[in-house]
Amino acid sequence: MTTTTTEPSRAIAAQRREAVQDLLAGARRIIEERGVTREALNAISARLLELATRSELFDAADFPPPQRDSGDTSTRYRLNPGEDGLALYLNSLLPGKTTIPHNHDTWAVIAAIEGAELNRIYRRTDDGRDPEHATLELLQEVVIRPGVPIAFMPDDIHSIHVGGAQPTLHFHLYGRPLDTLTGRLGFEPDTGRVVRYNAKHMQQATQAVG
C-alpha cells in the first residue's frame, strides 16, 4: 500500500514543530532565569497548558495508543527527537495503565490534551540509609486532566493510574531525555524494595515524531 502525504498534513506537521520549538525555547529561558524551582516549573506548566489547547496539532488519530489486545498499555512519542537537552513527549495511555511509585531524576511537567490520569504523590519517611529499601507516605492525589497540570522536582515521587474508558493524550516535558535518566528510582509498594525504575519498569520504545 502506498501512503501519500497531503499538503494539509504537511502544514500541520510544520505548525506542530514550530509550536514545540516555541515551547522548548520558553522553558529553557525560564530555567536559565529562575533555576529549577517550583516557581519556574509552575511557569513552564502554564506554557505547556497553552500548547495542550492546540489539539488540532496533536490529534489522537496521529498519536494513537496501543491496540487494546497488544499487551501494551502505553505509547510514547518524542516530539523533539535528537536533542540532548529538554525532552518533550506525548504519551497515550490505555485505561488500566498503572506504575509503581517512582521519581524522575530530573524535573518534569505534565499537561493533558485528552483524558484523565490519577497521580498519587508520596514522600519518603525513612532516613534513606538503606539503598535497597524505603518507606513512603501518601501525601495527596491529583487528577491530571485538561486544564489541570502537575509538576515534579527531581526527587518528587508519584505513581500514575488510568481508569475509566478513555485513553489519555498527555504531554510530558522533562529536563533530560528519559533514556538518560540512570538515577530514577522505583519503590515497590508491597515490599518497600527500591529498584532502578528505567531498567525494571519503564517501557523502552519511543516513537520519534519531528
Side-chain angles (χ1 to χ4, degrees), residues 1 10 20 22 41-42 57 60 73 76 100 159 162 172 174 179 184 201:
M1 178 182 294
R10 288 196 189 99
V20 166
D22 285 349
L41 299 189
N42 288 340
L57 302 182
T73 54
R76 183 171 59 247
I100 65 169
S159 63
V162 180
H172 287 234
Y174 296 93
D179 58 3
R184 293 182 83 191
H201 287 278

Side-chain angles (χ1 to χ4, degrees), residues 12-194:
I12 290 293
Q15 292 173 42
R16 183 166 58 229
R17 286 192 295 270
E18 181 179 5
V20 166
Q21 290 305 316
D22 285 349
L23 178 279
L24 295 173
R28 291 187 188 100
R29 284 195 299 271
I30 290 168
I31 294 297
E32 288 171 1
E33 293 170 0
R34 309 185 195 182
V36 179
T37 63
R38 295 201 186 275
E39 177 190 20
L41 299 189
N42 288 340
I44 294 172
S45 295
R47 288 178 175 265
L48 197 58
L49 277 180
E50 291 178 8
L51 186 62
T53 65
R54 302 191 64 183
S55 57
E56 75 281 1
L57 302 182
F58 304 96
D59 190 277
D62 294 329
F63 299 94
Q67 294 293 323
R68 291 181 184 267
D69 59 355
S70 68
D72 291 330
T73 54
S74 63
T75 300
R76 183 171 59 247
Y77 301 91
R78 176 81 187 270
L79 298 179
N80 64 323
E83 297 187 24
D84 293 331
L86 307 190
L88 180 62
Y89 300 90
L90 192 53
N91 286 4
S92 187
L93 309 182
L94 289 175
K97 169 70 177 179
T98 64
T99 71
I100 65 169
H102 59 275
N103 67 9
H104 291 105
D105 194 33
T106 188
W107 60 265
V109 177
I110 303 169
I113 300 173
E114 296 179 4
E117 173 189 287
L118 172 66
N119 274 242
R120 294 184 174 135
I121 302 169
Y122 306 83
R123 72 176 181 92
R124 287 189 68 161
T125 56
D126 63 290
D127 59 14
R129 293 182 182 178
D130 184 349
E132 304 295 329
H133 187 272
T135 56
L136 303 182
E137 176 187 5
L138 178 65
L139 293 179
Q140 66 179 127
E141 295 184 341
V142 177
V143 177
I144 303 174
R145 57 184 185 273
V148 180
I150 198 166
F152 297 103
M153 296 289 280
D155 291 329
D156 289 345
I157 300 168
H158 79 134
S159 63
I160 67 172
H161 310 265
V162 180
Q166 181 186 11
T168 69
L169 195 61
H170 290 188
F171 288 119
H172 287 234
L173 176 59
Y174 296 93
R176 305 199 315 276
L178 284 173
D179 58 3
T180 70
L181 303 181
T182 57
R184 293 182 83 191
L185 300 179
F187 306 89
E188 297 187 343
D190 294 337
T191 64
R193 190 162 69 104
V194 179

